[in-house]
Amino acid sequence: MSIWNQHPNYSDDQLRQLVAVCSEVFLDSDTAAEQFPPDFLEISPAMAARQLGPVLEENGQTLHAESVQEVLQDPIPSRDLCIAILTEIKRSPELATRVSETYARRERKMGGPETVLLAGALVVLAIKLKELRWGPEGGRISFYESAETVKAFLLNLLNLSEHPPSPGNGK
Amino acid sequence: MTELSDIMALVVNAFNGAPAIDEMTRHGNYNAWAQKLVGLAHSQPSAELRTLLSAVASDGLEHVHELLLEFGRSKIDSLEVETLIEVSKLAEDNSENANCACLVLSYIATQLWILKSAGRLYDEVDKAPFPGWGIVPHALALIALRNGSVDGASELVAHSYDVLMMYYPNPQLVGLVYALKRYHALSNLIHESREIAISNLVDDLRTGCQSSTSTRSAVAALCWSVGLVAESYALGSLSDHARIPGRRFFRNLVRRSLYCSRHDTLVRYVWLELIDQNCLSDFNSHRKLLNILFKMGVSWVPDRTFAVPPSRLYARCLISWFRRETTRYSLRQYQEVVQELLRIRQLENQVIRVRVLGLNGLMTAQLGHAVALTSKKEYVDAILAASESIIRVVEQKTIYPEWPEYFDRPNLPVIELIESKLAAATASSSRIDEANFIIDFIEQFRCAALEYWLRIVPTYPPSNLDPQLKALLEREEQLLREMRSAYFVLLHNLLPRHYRRFNLFTTSAEAIEEAFGEFANNPGSLGVEIPMHNVVLPQELGRATYKRITEELEALYAKMEQWDLRLASRRRFPAATNQDLVNLLRSHNATA
C-alpha cells in the first residue's frame, strides 16, 4: 500500500517522514546537486525564508523575510503548505512513484522517525527546481507548473497572515 | 534540595525563561498584558483570585512573589485545588489570544497549587497522584513554550511526565493515559520548537563565520572551550572564509555549548562575549535559546568578586588569541588574574583550571615568550601533571553521577600530549620509549571514563585454578555483586521516578530500618511484602559502599598476586598498554 493512499490525511509522523523523503528525492536529482549543498535538508526556516524572498518578490510584492519564516515555523500553515506541495508531487506519476518507493524503503529500515517538519527545505526545493533529472538514464520531470502553484499557495498564505513582524509588546 | 524546591525551581524557570517577562516587568496597567489579565480575573474560575491578579497587574510583576505569599498566608485555606485546576485550564484555553497575560495567570495558579498541596504534592492520594498533575504543569509549560521559554517548558514537562509515569499502568486511573498522551504531544512540540530555534542559530553562526573574522574567532573560541580543540584550530586558521564546517558540526556545537553553559562559567562567558561583539545578525530572534545565559546566577565566586570577572577576561583573551591580536598588555593583565586565582585557590576545579592555564600557554606562545618562560621539560611535566589531575577527576565522575557531563572539556592536556609530544616522539626511532609512554598515558584517559565498567567485568580466569585462588575469585564475585547494588543506589535519584516504587519482601523489619533508616515508610511485620512508594535510596550510602568495596577489591587483588600475578595485574590496571597490543598482534600473527 502506497503512502499516497493516505493523502492528504497524514498523521504528524507520516507527514514529517514524507516531507523528508520528498526533500531527499529532490536533493538527489542532478539539478539539485548543481544548486544546493549536501546538507541542505538541515536548512533553517530563517535561511529558507531569505532564499525564498527574491523568488517570491518576482511579482513585484515586497515581503518581510520574517513573515515567510513565521509561516515555515508555525505548525498549522507549514503543514498546509507541505500538503499543497505533496499534492503537486502526487500529480506527477513518475515523481510520486519515486517518492513512494523511497518512503517504503525507509520504513523497512526502521531508522527512526523524523522529529521535525522540514518545511523550509521542501518549499525552497519545490519552488526553485523547475526541472528534475536523475542521470542520463534516470528520466527528466518538469516541475515548472507545480512550482508556480506552490509559489502562489505560499503567497496566499502570506497575504492571509496580515501581521508584520513586531517586537514583543506584551500582549 | 527537597522535591518541593525542585518543582518550584522548574516552575520559576519556565516562567522567567520567557523573553517577554523582561519587557512585561515594571509595565503594569500601561500595557496590554495587564489589561487582559484583569479581564481574565473577572472570568468565573478566577473570581477567588481577583484581588491578587489585579494587584499583580498594577504592580507589573515587580513583587509578584511577595504578593503571592501574602495572598497565600491569608487565603490559601479557603482555596480549593479544583479552583486552581480550573484557572489553569482557563489560561491554557485563552493563551493563543493573550499569551503574556495567560502566562502570568498560569504561573500564579501553579504557585498556589504547590502552596495548597502543603508538602503533599508527590504523595499518593487514594492510589493516584496528587490532583492537578495532568493539567496544572501542562498549562504552564504550553503557555511558557508559546512565550519562548523552550528549556523551561521542556524541563517542567519531563518532570511532570515522570511523576505521572509512576502510576502507569493503572487501569483504574481513567485520566492517566490521556494526561500522558498530552504530555507526550507537548514534549514533541517542544522538541520541534527547540530544533527549529537551533537550526536558525546554526545558520546565523555559519553565515557570520563566512563573512566576519570576528564571528569566526568567537565561534573558534567556543569550540576550544567545549573541548573541540582540534576543530577550533582548524576553524580559526582557515583563510578561505567560504570553507566552513557543515550544519551538523555547528548543531553539535550549539547543543553542547548551551548545555555546558548552565554549569561552566567559561563557556557561558564566551557565549556572552559572542553576543556582545554582535556576532549574531539579530540577537532577539535567538532569545528563546540564549535568554537562559542572562538568567543564570553567577556561580563562580571570582566572577562575583573581581573587578572584571575572570571568565569574561578569559573569553575576551581567547577570542583575541584566535584573531591573532594578543598584546603584551592583555597577556600581563591575564597573567595577573591567573596568579591571583592560584593564590586564593580558586582554580581547584581541574576542568576550569586546564583551560585557564592552557590559554595562558597559548597567549605566551603567540607572543613568542614560551621558551623564555618555561623549559621544555617543565612544560612537559606541567602537561603530564595536568593530565593526571584530569584522569582522577574523570574517574571520580563514576561515584558522582549527578555531576554534569564533561564531554570533551577536559581534553586539552590530551590534545597537547598528542600534538606536541607524540608527533615528535614517533618521528624518531630513538624516541620509541617516549612514544610508548605517551600512548600508554593517553589510554588512561579512556580507562578513567570506563572505571566502573572495567571493574565490573573482570577478565576471565584460567581453567585450572588453585583452590586458594578459586576462593579469592568467589569473594571477588560477591564483592562485584555488592558493587553493582551500590552503583544502582548511586544512580537511583537520577533514574525515572517509577524506580521509586517497589515492593520489598522482608523477614526482618529491623533490617529494613537499618538499611533505609528514615526512608523506610511503613516497615511491616515479618514475612510481609511491603509496597514502598516514592523512596529515594540514599546516595551517600551508595557512595560510601562503593568506596569501601573498591578498597576491599584492592586488598583482594594484592593477595591474588601471589597466586597469579598476571590475573591480579589485569584487574588492578585494566588499561591496555602498547606492549599488550603488540603481544596480542604477535600472537594473532603466530596463530595465523
Side-chain angles (χ1 to χ4, degrees):
Chain A
M1 185 162 120
S2 164
I3 186 62
W4 294 116
N5 294 348
Q6 297 282 121
H7 189 80
N9 302 314
Y10 304 107
S11 67
D12 288 345
D13 283 347
Q14 283 173 331
L15 183 65
R16 284 193 288 264
Q17 193 86 319
L18 187 54
V19 165
V21 165
C22 289
S23 305
E24 280 171 19
V25 166
F26 276 130
L27 204 57
D28 278 344
S29 70
D30 295 343
T31 33
E34 291 158 9
Q35 295 180 51
F36 300 101
D39 66 351
F40 187 75
L41 291 188
E42 296 174 57
I43 191 173
S44 64
M47 182 64 82
R50 280 202 283 279
Q51 293 204 5
L52 286 169
V55 179
L56 296 174
E57 287 178 349
E58 279 171 5
N59 297 343
Q61 265 182 294
T62 307
L63 291 168
H64 294 284
E66 289 89 348
S67 304
V68 181
Q69 183 182 339
E70 273 181 37
V71 165
L72 294 177
Q73 285 179 180
D74 193 309
I76 295 171
S78 64
R79 185 189 171 95
D80 291 342
L81 184 54
C82 289
I83 299 279
I85 297 172
L86 294 175
T87 304
E88 292 306 309
I89 291 172
K90 194 168 174 274
R91 280 197 224 287
S92 162
E94 192 185 332
L95 187 54
T97 304
R98 200 177 267 269
V99 166
S100 67
E101 284 173 356
T102 308
Y103 185 94
R105 264 199 310 274
R106 208 176 186 189
E107 289 285 282
R108 280 197 296 275
K109 280 185 189 169
M110 293 190 295
E114 287 293 323
T115 55
V116 179
L117 187 67
L118 303 177
L122 183 63
V123 173
V124 173
L125 289 165
I127 288 180
K128 284 193 163 186
L129 289 176
K130 310 287 194 223
E131 185 186 76
L132 302 162
R133 57 174 193 276
W134 293 273
E137 311 292 333
R140 183 191 287 251
I141 299 170
S142 171
F143 204 71
Y144 181 80
E145 283 181 21
S146 294
E148 291 299 307
T149 306
V150 171
K151 197 162 110 179
F153 190 92
L154 177 55
L155 283 168
N156 192 39
L157 278 178
L158 288 164
N159 288 333
L160 285 173
S161 63
E162 288 178 345
H163 50 86
S166 58
N169 63 356
K171 64 168 180 160
Chain B
M1 278 179 99
T2 63
E3 283 190 313
L4 273 188
S5 58
D6 285 350
I7 182 76
M8 288 287 247
L10 292 175
V11 165
V12 168
N13 284 347
F15 181 68
N16 280 339
I21 291 297
D22 295 328
E23 289 153 18
M24 289 160 64
T25 306
R26 292 184 289 279
H27 289 96
N29 279 336
Y30 299 102
N31 214 306
W33 73 267
Q35 290 163 14
K36 290 193 179 179
L37 183 64
V38 169
L40 287 166
H42 285 85
S43 302
Q44 184 44 45
S46 316
E48 290 180 67
L49 308 182
R50 195 169 299 157
T51 48
L52 172 62
L53 294 173
S54 300
V56 168
S58 54
D59 175 67
L61 299 181
E62 267 208 86
H63 304 99
V64 64
H65 294 108
E66 290 87 339
L67 290 169
L68 267 166
L69 279 174
E70 193 187 315
F71 182 87
R73 267 196 292 269
S74 55
K75 298 271 174 40
I76 201 72
D77 288 337
S78 59
L79 211 49
E80 297 290 338
V81 172
E82 285 70 26
T83 303
L84 297 168
I85 293 172
E86 289 304 313
V87 170
S88 292
K89 280 187 195 167
L90 174 74
E92 187 170 327
D93 292 342
N94 284 278
S95 68
E96 282 199 17
N97 298 321
N99 247 347
C100 298
C102 287
L103 177 62
V104 177
L105 180 64
S106 180
Y107 177 66
I108 286 172
T110 309
Q111 287 277 23
L112 291 174
W113 173 70
I114 296 171
L115 206 58
K116 180 68 188 173
S117 74
R120 293 173 302 129
L121 201 60
Y122 294 89
D123 288 357
E124 197 173 85
V125 178
D126 297 328
K127 296 198 187 303
F130 186 83
W133 271 107
I135 293 169
V136 177
H138 183 280
L140 179 60
L142 177 62
I143 303 168
L145 175 68
R146 286 180 176 154
N147 279 280
S149 178
V150 176
D151 287 331
S154 174
E155 286 166 359
L156 186 56
V157 163
H159 184 85
S160 308
Y161 186 84
D162 206 20
V163 168
L164 290 181
M165 277 299 288
M166 282 179 74
Y167 299 90
Y168 180 84
N170 183 343
Q172 290 170 339
L173 293 180
V174 172
L176 180 65
V177 170
Y178 174 69
L180 286 170
K181 278 187 178 164
R182 283 209 328 147
Y183 273 118
H184 201 251
L186 180 52
S187 181
N188 287 343
L189 202 60
I190 292 169
H191 169 80
E192 201 161 4
S193 183
R194 181 190 274 117
E195 288 302 304
I196 286 172
I198 288 175
S199 73
N200 285 335
L201 181 56
V202 158
D203 275 343
D204 200 347
L205 288 174
R206 287 188 83 235
T207 306
C209 283
Q210 281 171 322
S211 57
S212 157
T213 311
S214 297
T215 306
R216 207 175 173 93
S217 303
V219 172
L222 196 61
C223 291
W224 197 88
S225 300
V226 298
L228 299 172
V229 175
E231 292 88 339
S232 73
Y233 293 153
L235 184 63
S237 66
L238 275 177
S239 54
D240 181 0
H241 281 200
R243 288 180 56 217
I244 52 167
R247 288 185 169 96
R248 191 158 297 182
F249 171 81
F250 274 83
R251 203 179 274 268
N252 181 35
L253 173 65
V254 165
R255 280 206 188 101
R256 193 168 283 196
S257 60
L258 287 179
Y259 169 85
C260 291
S261 64
R262 290 164 177 240
H263 35 77
D264 186 325
T265 182
L266 301 181
V267 175
R268 180 189 171 200
Y269 268 89
V270 173
W271 264 114
L272 292 174
E273 205 55 34
L274 190 150
I275 294 166
D276 268 352
Q277 293 186 17
N278 297 317
C279 297
L280 297 172
S281 64
D282 177 17
F283 165 69
N284 277 327
S285 62
H286 304 301
R287 286 180 76 184
K288 265 188 203 181
L289 286 179
L290 302 181
N291 217 36
I292 189 108
L293 297 169
F294 299 93
K295 300 282 183 170
M296 297 172 201
V298 177
S299 55
W300 195 29
V301 170
D303 284 339
R304 288 200 294 269
T305 55
F306 280 43
V308 174
S311 301
R312 179 178 294 159
L313 187 62
Y314 161 91
R316 286 181 179 164
C317 289
L318 184 59
I319 293 172
S320 292
W321 184 86
F322 276 103
R323 280 201 210 132
R324 293 172 175 75
E325 290 175 2
T326 304
T327 62
R328 288 176 202 279
Y329 173 74
S330 63
L331 174 60
R332 194 167 60 243
Q333 188 188 24
Y334 187 77
Q335 286 182 332
E336 281 170 8
V337 167
V338 170
Q339 289 302 326
E340 182 60 14
L341 289 170
L342 288 167
R343 190 187 70 78
I344 62 175
R345 301 174 69 86
Q346 284 293 336
L347 285 180
E348 303 299 289
N349 179 322
Q350 296 297 324
V351 179
I352 290 186
R353 184 188 182 101
V354 291
R355 287 173 292 163
V356 168
L357 297 182
L359 176 56
N360 185 47
L362 288 180
M363 290 169 78
T364 51
Q366 194 165 74
L367 291 177
H369 289 180
V371 172
L373 285 179
T374 320
S375 73
K376 270 202 160 171
K377 184 176 181 312
E378 281 171 0
Y379 179 69
V380 170
D381 287 347
I383 293 288
L384 289 174
S387 303
E388 281 276 2
S389 305
I390 289 294
I391 288 169
R392 298 287 85 79
V393 164
V394 172
E395 271 176 355
Q396 269 218 305
K397 177 88 169 72
T398 305
I399 56 170
Y400 289 93
E402 67 275 17
W403 285 354
E405 284 299 330
Y406 289 130
F407 297 116
D408 299 310
R409 283 178 294 147
N411 271 4
L412 192 59
V414 183
I415 304 282
E416 208 39 48
L417 274 176
I418 295 170
E419 292 291 314
S420 67
K421 292 300 300 167
L422 188 60
T426 49
S428 163
S429 57
S430 63
R431 295 171 70 177
I432 284 296
D433 286 344
E434 195 180 331
N436 267 337
F437 172 76
I438 301 288
I439 291 174
D440 289 348
F441 196 85
I442 290 168
E443 169 69 0
Q444 290 183 47
F445 279 93
R446 191 185 69 89
C447 288
L450 294 171
E451 206 270 341
Y452 171 71
W453 299 104
L454 289 171
R455 222 180 250 291
I456 214 72
V457 188
T459 52
Y460 284 123
S463 37
N464 295 325
L465 288 176
D466 184 284
Q468 294 277 16
L469 182 57
K470 195 172 172 198
L472 289 174
L473 288 170
E474 281 168 6
R475 176 62 185 146
E476 181 196 41
E477 199 180 320
Q478 198 178 10
L479 285 172
L480 290 181
R481 268 202 301 274
E482 285 182 41
M483 181 172 255
R484 287 191 191 95
S485 305
Y487 192 61
F488 177 76
V489 174
L490 268 175
L491 291 179
H492 192 242
N493 76 336
L494 303 176
L495 296 172
R497 274 174 180 266
H498 57 256
Y499 281 87
R500 301 182 191 185
R501 293 174 65 97
F502 48 89
N503 287 354
L504 273 178
F505 187 80
T506 178
T507 56
S508 165
E510 286 78 18
I512 296 289
E513 191 75 47
E514 189 190 326
F516 291 98
E518 69 197 83
F519 304 103
N521 56 1
N522 199 18
S525 49
L526 293 180
V528 166
E529 201 166 320
I530 304 170
M532 307 287 268
H533 170 73
N534 208 21
V535 172
V536 180
L537 301 178
Q539 199 179 38
E540 280 309 318
L541 177 65
R543 203 157 4 245
T545 308
Y546 191 97
K547 284 181 188 170
R548 175 185 57 77
I549 295 169
T550 306
E551 284 163 13
E552 283 197 46
L553 282 168
E554 282 299 315
L556 189 130
Y557 296 145
K559 275 190 209 164
M560 204 182 272
E561 278 178 354
Q562 59 182 299
W563 305 109
D564 191 325
L565 179 62
R566 191 171 176 282
L567 198 69
S569 306
R570 294 316 291 134
R571 280 151 164 75
R572 294 180 81 183
F573 310 109
T577 64
N578 219 19
Q579 194 58 53
D580 289 330
L581 293 172
V582 166
N583 292 343
L584 187 66
L585 285 168
R586 277 187 185 146
S587 69
H588 176 72
N589 283 342
T591 313

